[in-house]
């Protein structure tokens, strides 16, 4: 991490309102700005960029979470009020959320409580979202005289469909946990004490698969329609030459071989 990280127990590093734990085969990052209800400010954006740089160098799944009862309340309004045209054109939040979305390995947002505005857009940028029974997702930006410009206008439409996205973005609808599950915005709803275990179970399922196959499949999902099937053919050609493919397919065939068989 950049800046002057504060190192705590279990290898945690805290900087810019982000507490990062290296868990070996995965990384857990927790937004920790309780005084502002985990509002996303410039320091947190810098910390997220630094985290992305680490995961680009050493690809591993990421679990991103907040505090008890709050994921992230959105952009820091005090800073947002001072921003002008050139700040908007820099894409301060949209750039880092796009970087999160493009991380090589899958990402999981573990959401307890409110994920609003920029907080919701950060969750939308993750590959998966697991939530507690008290989770709430929404984009109230138009009520502040601005728009949700860090990915919601297109990521949310892809996730839940245009009619519901319009209701959230234009009419301020807030989705509770059951509604989010029904809309496939989240993959699972659990009790608050089971949130991180549920995220870990999902990561465990991902890690049971071939790492390079997961990375290339995630990349294929991001390709524009015109890139297919050529991209898929080239990616598959790479995978066909790996030891991992040989090992996994051999193990599969060995498991299927009848007892006493010779072939």
């Amino acid at each position: 991490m950049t800046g002057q990280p504060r190192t705590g127990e279990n290898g945690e590093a805290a900087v810019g309102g982000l507490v990062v734990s290296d868990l070996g085969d995965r990384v857990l990052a927790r937004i920790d700005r309780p005084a502002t209800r985990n509002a996303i400010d410039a320091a947190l954006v810098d910390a997220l960029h630094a985290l992305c740089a680490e995961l680009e160098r050493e690809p591993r799944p990421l679990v991103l979470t907040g505090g008890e009862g709050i994921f992230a309340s959105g952009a820091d309004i005090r800073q947002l009020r001072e921003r002008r045209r050139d700040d908007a054109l820099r894409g301060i939040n949209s750039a880092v959320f796009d970087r999160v979305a493009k991380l090589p390995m899958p990402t999981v947002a573990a959401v307890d409580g409110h994920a609003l505005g920029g907080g919701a857009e950060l969750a939308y940028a993750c590959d998966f979202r697991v939530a507690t029974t008290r989770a709430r997702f929404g984009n109230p930006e138009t009520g502040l005289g601005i728009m949700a410009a860090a990915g919601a206008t297109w990521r949310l439409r892809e996730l839940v469909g245009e009619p519901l996205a319009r209701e959230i973005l234009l009419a301020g609808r807030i989705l509770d946990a059951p509604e989010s599950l029904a809309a496939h915005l989240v993959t699972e709803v659990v009790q608050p004490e089971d949130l991180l275990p549920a995220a870990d179970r999902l990561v465990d399922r991902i890690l049971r698969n071939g790492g390079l196959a997961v990375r290339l499949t995630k990349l294929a999902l991001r390709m524009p329609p015109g890139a297919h099937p050529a991209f898929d053919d080239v990616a598959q050609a790479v995978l066909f030459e790996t030891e991992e493919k040989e090992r996994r397919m051999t193990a599969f065939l060995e498991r299927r071989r009848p007892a006493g068989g010779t072939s």
Side-chain angles (χ1 to χ4, degrees):
M1 303 288 290
T2 59
Q4 297 298 321
R6 187 176 71 254
T7 303
E9 297 181 357
N10 303 318
E12 288 184 347
V15 61
L18 193 68
V19 180
V20 179
S21 301
D22 187 330
L23 304 179
D25 63 354
R26 71 201 68 188
V27 170
L28 171 66
R30 176 170 55 86
I31 302 171
D32 185 30
R33 303 190 69 230
T36 65
R37 294 183 57 78
N38 285 353
I40 299 169
D41 68 349
L44 181 57
V45 167
D46 289 344
L48 286 169
H49 273 299
L51 173 60
C52 287
E54 289 185 4
L55 292 173
E56 289 159 357
R57 286 192 299 268
E58 186 181 349
R60 286 172 290 168
L62 168 67
V63 176
L64 181 62
T65 193
E68 184 177 352
I70 183 70
F71 178 73
S73 60
D76 191 307
I77 301 299
R78 286 183 294 273
Q79 291 187 4
L80 200 59
R81 185 178 60 179
E82 302 305 315
R83 292 179 184 172
R84 295 296 182 264
R85 176 193 61 197
D86 289 347
D87 297 307
L89 292 174
R90 285 169 54 204
I92 296 171
N93 285 2
S94 62
V96 74
F97 296 172
D98 195 49
R99 196 171 181 183
V100 169
K102 291 177 179 176
L103 284 172
M105 288 293 282
T107 54
V108 181
V111 178
D112 183 28
H114 286 82
L116 300 175
E121 290 179 301
L122 177 56
Y124 303 157
C126 292
D127 294 297
F128 302 97
R129 286 149 296 282
V130 296
T132 71
T133 52
R134 57 192 179 192
R136 300 290 185 274
F137 294 87
N139 290 92
E141 284 90 341
T142 54
L144 296 170
I146 59 174
M147 62 178 282
T153 56
W154 51 280
R155 284 197 181 100
L156 186 58
R157 183 182 64 211
E158 292 177 353
L159 290 169
V160 303
E162 187 164 334
L164 183 53
R166 285 180 181 273
E167 195 172 353
I168 294 167
L169 294 168
L170 300 178
R173 179 173 173 181
I174 304 293
L175 296 186
D176 63 18
E179 291 169 328
S180 299
L181 184 62
H184 302 290
L185 182 60
V186 303
T187 61
E188 186 177 6
V189 173
V190 298
Q191 294 300 318
E193 62 272 17
D194 195 35
L195 180 61
L196 290 182
D200 278 332
R201 289 193 296 269
L202 180 53
V203 171
D204 289 342
R205 286 161 51 195
I206 293 167
L207 290 174
R208 285 199 290 267
N209 298 313
L212 184 59
V214 168
R215 290 180 59 179
L216 290 178
T217 300
K218 177 174 175 174
L219 187 57
L221 286 166
R222 294 188 54 84
M223 290 290 109
H228 304 286
F231 176 86
D232 307 65
D233 293 342
V234 172
Q236 191 76 300
V238 171
L239 293 168
F240 274 8
E241 297 298 320
T242 62
E243 293 183 6
E244 181 81 357
K245 171 252 191 181
E246 183 71 19
R247 181 183 66 81
R248 285 175 174 269
M249 289 193 175
T250 299
F252 176 85
L253 292 172
E254 290 292 334
R255 289 195 300 270
R256 293 298 183 97
R257 178 178 294 175
T262 59
S263 58

